[in-house]
Amino acid sequence: TKNEASQITPCFRSLTGWVDEIVVLDSGSTDATLDIARQHGAKVFVREDWKGFGIQRQRAQDLATSDYILAIDADERISEELREAIESILRNPDKNCLYQVVRQNAFLDKDVFHNGWRREKIVRLFAKNNFQFNSRAVHESVDSKGIPTKTLRGYLIHDACRNYEYYLEKHLAYAHSWARDQAKSGKSANLLNAITHGLTTFVRLFLLQGGFLDGQHGLLFAFHLGQYSFNKYAALWYYSRQFRRGENLQ
């Protein structure tokens, strides 16, 4: 977490009373995030030496003491049906299996069912000692090692953009983190790549995947994701040039 006071309470409410522990790893909040976490009985830790989402998630996993990890973000909450599915699995778990959830996404307080989001599946439940997160700075995931996954019934409800200003800042930070990672691994891009990725992302989301059916929210969402894609590759062009010159990309 970092400065999630405006939206983290519904997350805690969906967890309180049925999980064995709630571990919060914060990276330097200056608002009431940590006070709210403690009020809900969470074990709170702070690590401000930010090295990316993948490493920070793994740090949080290492701080947990239970056998199973349910990874959840501050802007997400567990539906009642998903809770029941998780409790059912944990009565007879398979430690060599990964369990994925279906995210129901909202954008500016409206459920968005198109743009490829309707059936977004993501691994969030797994045996702590059998799996780890990769070290990607953004778009991190559990290293599945080729293990098949099972999909749980119910929804992980995701308020992707409740705070518009925060959403814009987050996407800009994601783009730069992704670009630095790619540049360090030897990848490069040019500005034509940035323009092409931005335009194709918008067309795919708004036209091919039916984003226009979500009205103004679908248009705005597709535009922002197109802009995000442009920003990623424009930043990669910039950072790859820095990397070739031997400059520090921190």
Side-chain angles (χ1 to χ4, degrees):
T1 57
K2 185 174 182 180
N3 294 333
E4 302 282 4
S6 65
Q7 60 185 2
I8 199 171
T9 297
C11 175
F12 285 131
R13 286 176 176 167
S14 74
L15 298 172
T16 302
W18 65 280
V19 299
D20 293 317
E21 64 179 353
I22 302 174
V23 173
V24 172
L25 180 58
D26 190 81
S27 57
S29 289
T30 57
D31 64 3
T33 297
L34 301 188
D35 291 334
I36 296 171
R38 294 186 180 101
Q39 289 169 11
H40 285 86
K43 300 177 181 178
V44 175
F45 303 87
V46 178
R47 288 289 300 270
E48 296 189 34
D49 58 328
W50 180 258
K51 298 183 183 299
F53 284 96
I55 290 176
Q56 195 80 341
R57 278 191 185 273
Q58 188 56 46
R59 288 170 170 174
Q61 177 175 327
D62 293 340
L63 291 168
T65 63
S66 298
D67 294 331
Y68 266 76
I69 298 295
L70 171 62
I72 185 168
D73 292 338
D75 58 0
E76 298 171 339
R77 60 188 184 275
I78 304 293
S79 69
E80 185 64 29
E81 187 178 14
L82 179 57
R83 169 184 169 171
E84 293 172 356
I86 292 171
E87 291 182 309
S88 175
I89 286 292
L90 293 182
R91 282 194 285 270
N92 186 27
D94 180 356
K95 291 192 174 183
N96 294 313
C97 181
L98 292 165
Y99 298 96
Q100 64 184 10
V101 300
V102 180
R103 279 210 302 195
Q104 176 180 309
N105 294 285
F107 181 73
L108 293 174
D109 298 319
K110 175 182 171 62
D111 288 340
V112 178
F113 293 111
H114 303 91
N115 295 321
W117 262 16
R118 186 165 191 169
R119 296 291 294 176
E120 182 191 24
K121 296 179 181 179
I122 186 169
V123 171
R124 288 298 183 85
L125 181 69
F126 53 92
K128 175 188 174 182
N129 295 327
N130 289 36
F131 302 97
Q132 293 186 325
F133 283 94
N134 58 38
S135 58
R136 293 175 189 164
V138 292
H139 305 308
E140 73 289 346
S141 61
V142 177
D143 187 355
S144 65
K145 307 174 185 177
I147 300 296
T149 61
K150 294 182 180 179
T151 303
L152 301 176
R153 68 181 185 276
Y155 289 102
L156 179 69
I157 302 167
H158 179 215
D159 285 328
C161 177
R162 179 179 294 180
N163 183 312
Y164 191 57
E165 180 180 2
Y166 176 76
Y167 175 80
L168 296 179
E169 292 174 350
K170 180 175 72 173
H171 266 210
L172 188 58
Y174 278 14
H176 283 274
S177 293
W178 177 89
R180 282 192 292 267
D181 255 11
Q182 294 295 305
K184 289 176 183 178
S185 66
K187 303 292 178 58
S188 62
N190 56 50
L191 292 183
L192 180 59
N193 296 145
I195 294 170
T196 301
H197 278 279
L199 289 174
T200 55
T201 297
F202 175 82
V203 170
R204 173 172 53 84
L205 296 176
F206 190 67
L207 297 178
L208 300 182
Q209 294 183 345
F212 60 90
L213 296 173
D214 289 313
Q216 294 181 4
H217 286 73
L219 174 62
L220 189 61
F221 177 80
F223 176 81
H224 278 305
L225 266 291
Q227 183 181 48
Y228 170 59
S229 187
F230 170 84
N231 288 341
K232 287 200 308 181
Y233 287 91
L236 177 56
W237 168 77
Y238 172 76
Y239 288 121
S240 62
R241 295 171 76 229
Q242 278 193 315
F243 185 76
R244 287 195 296 269
R245 293 197 296 265
E247 297 180 19
N248 193 334
L249 298 187
Q250 296 298 324

